[in-house]
Amino acid sequence: MDSVLSSEHQYLPATVTRSAKILIAGHFGAGKTTLVGSVSEIRPLRTEEPITEASTGIDDLAGLPGKTETTVAFDFGRRTLSHRLALYLFGTPGQNRFTPFWEHLFHGALGALVLVDTRRLQDSDTVIGLLEERGLPFGVAVNEFEGAPRYALDEIRQALALDDDVVLTSCDARDEVSSIHALIAFVEYLHRSSRLEHLS
């Protein structure tokens, strides 16, 4: 797909005839807000609040020394992925106590790209389980944090018990091009599975 990597436009081009709502999901601290912000062509909506002492014993900050804020509702951004297709991106909250809010985000979503951090890989199980329960198609992108251990994607697939047809890629959520490539890989899967055919 031809991507529009450097456009900064407020309104959709007249050529856009299809759109898709995609969730950017993942565990606490996986980089969802960062990815939505790096790829959005409009100013992203963020619902981040400071992490306070009230979260002590509730939110596990192990391995997240620089994290001072957390999403309490959702992030929102938009990306025109080709001259015909625009993605509306909804970043989910990461903490378990906010998962009831996911029910609202599921409505109208075509699928979800799940970000994972190899330092907290086991934390992805709950997120993937929720998507599987809802029957929502998902792909997985390993967010390559600086200093995090690197594993072959086949090892990640095995560790997460992902089916062979689940799209698995890697990205740096801070990098626009890298993150868009992860989105393209997932959207191409949706296209191959005919889930994009009937969108207008």
Side-chain angles (χ1 to χ4, degrees):
M1 291 188 170
D2 296 326
S3 57
V4 185
L5 295 180
S6 59
S7 61
E8 285 293 338
H9 48 268
Q10 184 83 19
Y11 301 103
L12 285 172
T15 57
V16 171
T17 57
R18 299 191 296 175
S19 62
K21 176 182 179 180
I22 302 293
L23 303 186
I24 305 299
H27 57 74
F28 180 54
K32 302 176 294 295
T33 298
T34 300
L35 186 142
V36 172
S38 71
V39 302
S40 182
E41 64 199 3
I42 59 174
R43 183 178 179 180
L45 169 67
R46 294 178 172 164
T47 59
E48 289 195 301
E49 293 293 337
I51 297 174
T52 67
E53 291 182 4
S55 70
T56 302
I58 299 173
D59 297 329
D60 181 9
L61 293 171
L64 303 171
K67 188 164 182 62
T68 59
E69 295 182 318
T70 186
T71 299
V72 296
F74 64 91
D75 301 307
F76 174 77
R78 187 192 76 204
R79 186 71 199 200
T80 306
L81 201 59
S82 74
H83 69 285
R84 287 177 35 185
L85 175 65
L87 301 182
Y88 293 94
L89 306 172
F90 289 76
T92 65
Q95 301 97 317
N96 290 338
R97 67 182 183 277
F98 293 131
T99 51
F101 186 75
W102 284 41
E103 293 300 319
H104 302 288
L105 296 177
F106 280 135
H107 291 294
L110 200 64
L113 182 65
V114 180
L115 283 181
V116 301
D117 178 354
T118 58
R119 298 168 299 182
R120 301 160 66 96
L121 205 56
Q122 70 283 354
D123 293 352
S124 303
D125 291 341
T126 300
V127 175
I128 291 172
L130 278 171
L131 297 171
E132 289 176 335
E133 287 174 15
R134 293 299 300 257
L136 192 68
F138 67 92
V140 174
V142 180
N143 189 5
E144 296 184 331
F145 285 92
E146 187 174 345
R150 299 283 194 267
Y151 301 101
L153 291 180
D154 285 344
E155 293 180 87
I156 299 290
R157 184 178 297 279
Q158 185 175 8
L160 294 176
L162 299 176
D163 291 339
D164 290 341
D165 63 341
V166 173
V167 175
L168 177 60
T169 187
S170 60
C171 70
D172 180 342
R174 301 167 299 179
D175 181 76
E176 178 184 19
V177 174
S178 174
S179 298
I180 286 178
H181 285 168
L183 281 170
I184 288 173
F186 180 55
V187 168
E188 286 179 339
Y189 157 73
L190 293 175
H191 183 72
R192 288 194 305 271
S193 64
S194 302
R195 294 178 184 274
L196 278 171
E197 283 187 352
H198 305 296
L199 290 176
S200 58

